[in-house]
Amino acid sequence: MLPFFLLKKPIFLAMGFLFFIASLQAQTPAHTNTETPLKTPPQRIASLNICIDQLLWELVPHERLVSFSYLTANPMWSPIAGKVKGMPLNHGLAEEIVPLHPDIILAGEFDAHSPIELLQKLGKRVERLQLPRTLEDINRQILQLADMVGATAKAEQMVQEINAQIAELQAANQGKTPLTAFWYSANGVVIGDGTLEHEFMQLAGLRNLAAERGMFGFNQLDLELLLSAQPQILIVEQGSDDAYSLAREYLSHPALRHADFKVITLPAGLSGCAATVISDVATQLKNSLAK
């Protein structure tokens, strides 16, 4: 039989080890296990999408932008075309993006899938942003993008400005008798329910005649039917009004030019790159309805 002190030795050793661990924990500052290292935002940013390009131009220092969509350099499609001269452009192809060594690649919901899948297979970080369909979606998209690129403060300011313009538009028309209106787009298309344009019309205190006729989304409407509805307001976008296309023939038709309704022309882009034009659209609509 082993002596008593040898039987006790393992117990003493175990107790000593536990005492040692406890003393280390007591000496360790309480905050060491709860601190999270600051996330470094991506410094080299590439975008495959014209609308994301425009948001990035507002949110991020330009030296961090390594590539934009080629459409952003075309003044027909982009309001910042004159500002991005010299910026490397891409056509959404992986071979254009990889040599630039971006930390993050941003794409839209409907941008080409094959190049994006290839970039992901090559180990590149690709983030897709959904197309905003409501005012709430726009604010969410701005903040989501800002979180990805480390521009939260600027994004929050942008969202506040948008909300302020929307609130002014809504307040300016409260208590007034709603005017009837069509939002008239390219090629004789009117815009109905389930759209950002319809939401804008409601905020402005307008009755959307297309929505009242059960139209959802974008629908072609014969000129005769439009005129017979006798709208008080016809809303068009500058891009549709000025572009040389079949849309120009509709908008310059003598029946429209001599009809007894008010034409309100708004900045183009609400159906495409809404986040960057929404404040201007709200302000112009408010001012036009006040005249």
Side-chain angles (χ1 to χ4, degrees):
M1 183 174 179
L2 291 173
F4 177 76
F5 74 93
L6 290 178
L7 290 173
K8 292 290 185 178
K9 188 173 182 180
I11 299 175
F12 292 149
L13 290 173
M15 290 179 64
F17 180 72
L18 290 174
F19 177 78
F20 174 72
I21 295 297
S23 65
L24 285 178
Q25 290 177 339
Q27 295 171 16
T28 304
H31 64 271
T32 21
N33 293 330
T34 57
E35 280 189 352
T36 303
L38 292 175
K39 183 173 65 174
T40 303
Q43 296 302 302
R44 299 181 60 80
I45 303 168
S47 168
L48 314 181
N49 183 277
I50 180 175
C51 298
I52 296 174
D53 292 349
Q54 294 173 43
L55 274 178
L56 288 171
W57 192 258
E58 296 293 328
L59 294 172
V60 178
H62 299 161
E63 61 270 18
R64 289 170 56 194
L65 305 172
V66 298
S67 185
F68 272 174
S69 165
Y70 73 100
L71 293 172
T72 302
N74 188 332
M76 181 179 292
W77 304 106
S78 168
I80 63 171
K83 300 178 182 179
V84 299
K85 290 181 179 178
M87 169 75 70
L89 303 175
N90 68 77
H91 298 75
L93 302 176
E95 53 265 37
E96 298 171 312
I97 300 298
V98 171
L100 300 174
H101 304 291
D103 300 319
I104 187 172
I105 302 159
L106 297 159
E109 181 178 356
F110 298 108
D111 289 324
H113 288 271
S114 297
I116 290 172
E117 290 175 357
L118 177 57
L119 286 165
Q120 290 172 327
K121 287 178 181 178
L122 292 172
K124 300 298 180 182
R125 179 188 173 190
V126 183
E127 300 285 353
R128 278 187 180 273
L129 278 76
Q130 289 189 335
L131 180 71
R133 293 167 174 83
T134 65
L135 292 172
E136 185 178 351
D137 288 344
I138 289 174
N139 288 345
R140 188 182 301 114
Q141 183 197 58
I142 293 171
L143 295 172
Q144 179 187 13
L145 175 62
D147 182 63
M148 292 175 182
V149 299
T152 303
K154 279 192 175 182
E156 288 175 347
Q157 182 181 353
M158 183 182 291
V159 167
Q160 287 175 4
E161 291 172 357
I162 289 172
N163 291 340
Q165 296 294 344
I166 295 298
E168 287 185 15
L169 170 66
Q170 196 169 14
N173 297 283
Q174 283 183 345
K176 295 183 179 179
T177 303
L179 301 175
T180 58
F182 279 115
W183 195 301
Y184 200 53
S185 188
N187 302 324
V189 169
V190 294
I191 304 178
D193 201 354
T195 63
L196 189 57
E197 289 83 354
H198 175 67
E199 189 174 358
F200 248 100
M201 293 173 79
Q202 289 184 309
L203 290 168
L206 299 175
R207 288 172 49 199
N208 185 352
L209 292 175
E212 289 183 5
R213 281 157 176 73
M215 295 181 177
F216 190 91
F218 296 76
N219 303 263
Q220 197 154 25
L221 184 69
D222 290 340
L223 186 58
E224 293 79 7
L225 292 176
L226 184 144
L227 293 172
S228 66
Q230 298 182 328
Q232 294 168 288
I233 301 285
L234 189 70
I235 300 173
V236 297
E237 296 183 22
Q238 285 175 345
S240 299
D241 193 27
D242 298 335
Y244 184 78
S245 65
L246 185 58
R248 188 184 182 105
E249 295 182 23
Y250 277 88
L251 294 166
S252 62
H253 195 285
L256 285 180
R257 285 192 282 111
H258 297 100
D260 186 23
F261 49 66
K262 180 178 182 178
V263 177
I264 292 178
T265 304
L266 300 179
L270 195 62
S271 300
C273 301
T276 56
V277 300
I278 191 168
S279 291
D280 292 338
V281 170
T283 300
Q284 184 62 46
L285 184 55
K286 179 193 68 176
N287 294 340
S288 297
L289 289 172
K291 294 177 182 178

